[in-house]
Structure formats: structure tokens, C-alpha cells
């Protein structure tokens, strides 16, 4: 009975880790798409922002930030138990939340329309699930399966 409960707990944790890795990878890929667009078609950056002067330099800087965030998030999806990569990934979402919160509530350059709310939702949700992941796993690899290690 106790062994079955432990097996079920491990199975649920494995599925949860897979879902987290997929979520972080998807947000990274979305960032990659936006990064490419900011270099290829710089004016696309301004679909989220309003009342700001168009600047190709700003668009390229934004694209560079997105590329860096994408690389970190892809690394996390490959190795979610690496503490350094975990914290770097967590901080990419914290910076995004901070940036978009300032732009929405202080500078009023991002309207609270769906395109403006999406970065807040993605960053907040991602921070939450990453903190829950760390609390549950303590960033430790799961124990090996019940197969014998004597070989």
C-alpha cells in the first residue's frame, strides 16, 4: 500500500515536471518569435506599446532581451533541476513582470487590453509555478526508480 502511494506520488511529480518544462519552453518559443519579429519587422514591437516614439534601436534591444530570456528558458526546459538555471529562469519572469507592470501602471505605455495583459499573466503564472516547483522538489532530482543499482 505505502509503496503504491509513493509510486503514484512519483508519477504525478514526473507529469508535473514535464508540464512545467513544456510551459517554460512554450514561453521561450513565444519570446523567440517576438525576438525574430523585432529584428525583421521592428515596428511589430509597438503592437503592445502605445504613445511611444518608434525607434528601431529600442526594437532591437527588446529583441536582444527576448533572445536572452529564450535561451535561459530553453536551458531550464532541458535541465529543470539545475539551481543556477532555475533562478535565472525565475528572474527572467520577474524582470518581465516588473517591466510590464511599470509600463502599464506607471508610464501608461501599455494598455490593459488582451495584448497588454498577456505578459502580466504569463510572468505571474510562471513565477508562481516555478516557486511551487522549487518548494516541492527542493530542486533535487527525483530518486531513481525502484530498479536495482547493483549492476
Amino acid at each position: 500500500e505505502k509503496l503504491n502511494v509513493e509510486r503514484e506520488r512519483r508519477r504525478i511529480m514526473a507529469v508535473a515536471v514535464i508540464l512545467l518544462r513544456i510551459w517554460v519552453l512554450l514561453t521561450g518559443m513565444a519570446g523567440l518569435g517576438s525576438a525574430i519579429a523585432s529584428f525583421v519587422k521592428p515596428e511589430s514591437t509597438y503592437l503592445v506599446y502605445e504613445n511611444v516614439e518608434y525607434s528601431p534601436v529600442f526594437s532591437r534591444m527588446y529583441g536582444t532581451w527576448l533572445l536572452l530570456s529564450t535561451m535561459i528558458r530553453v536551458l531550464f526546459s532541458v535541465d529543470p533541476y539545475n539551481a543556477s538555471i532555475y533562478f535565472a529562469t525565475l528572474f527572467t519572469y520577474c524582470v518581465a513582470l516588473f517591466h510590464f507592470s511599470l509600463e502599464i501602471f506607471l508610464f501608461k505605455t501599455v494598455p490593459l487590453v488582451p495584448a497588454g495583459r498577456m505578459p502580466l499573466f504569463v510572468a505571474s503564472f510562471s513565477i508562481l509555478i516555478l516557486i511551487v516547483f522549487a518548494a516541492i522538489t527542493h530542486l533535487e532530482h527525483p530518486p531513481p526508480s525502484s530498479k536495482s543499482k547493483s549492476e
Side-chain angles (χ1 to χ4, degrees), residues 6-149:
E6 181 60 25
R7 256 192 229 132
E8 184 65 15
R9 189 188 69 75
R10 283 187 191 172
R11 189 187 68 75
I12 291 170
M13 284 300 299
V15 170
V17 170
I18 289 168
L19 291 175
L20 174 64
R21 292 167 78 177
I22 290 170
W23 170 259
V24 172
L25 183 63
L26 286 175
T27 64
M29 292 300 99
L32 178 62
S34 295
I36 291 169
S38 69
F39 285 104
V40 174
K41 191 176 179 189
E43 62 275 9
S44 68
T45 303
Y46 295 89
L47 295 174
V48 174
Y49 297 89
E50 67 178 25
N51 303 322
V52 292
E53 189 176 321
Y54 171 76
S55 167
V57 173
F58 168 78
S59 188
R60 291 189 301 269
M61 286 174 46
Y62 186 64
T64 302
W65 153 254
L66 289 169
L67 281 175
L68 179 61
S69 294
T70 295
M71 288 186 290
I72 292 169
R73 292 170 186 177
V74 168
L75 285 172
F76 175 84
S77 69
V78 171
D79 185 7
Y81 297 99
N82 182 311
S84 297
I85 295 172
Y86 165 83
F87 284 109
T89 303
L90 179 64
F91 291 138
T92 66
Y93 293 113
C94 291
V95 169
L97 181 62
F98 179 72
H99 168 74
F100 280 101
S101 294
L102 286 178
E103 294 300 325
I104 290 170
F105 301 112
L106 182 64
F107 301 119
K108 312 276 190 226
T109 55
V110 176
L112 270 175
V113 296
R117 288 190 304 256
M118 190 54 67
L120 289 180
F121 167 76
V122 170
S124 300
F125 180 72
S126 300
I127 290 166
L128 176 68
I129 62 174
L130 282 167
I131 289 171
V132 169
F133 168 75
I136 292 171
T137 66
H138 307 291
L139 299 178
E140 296 173 0
H141 286 279
S145 64
S146 57
K147 294 179 184 175
S148 172
K149 288 186 170 185

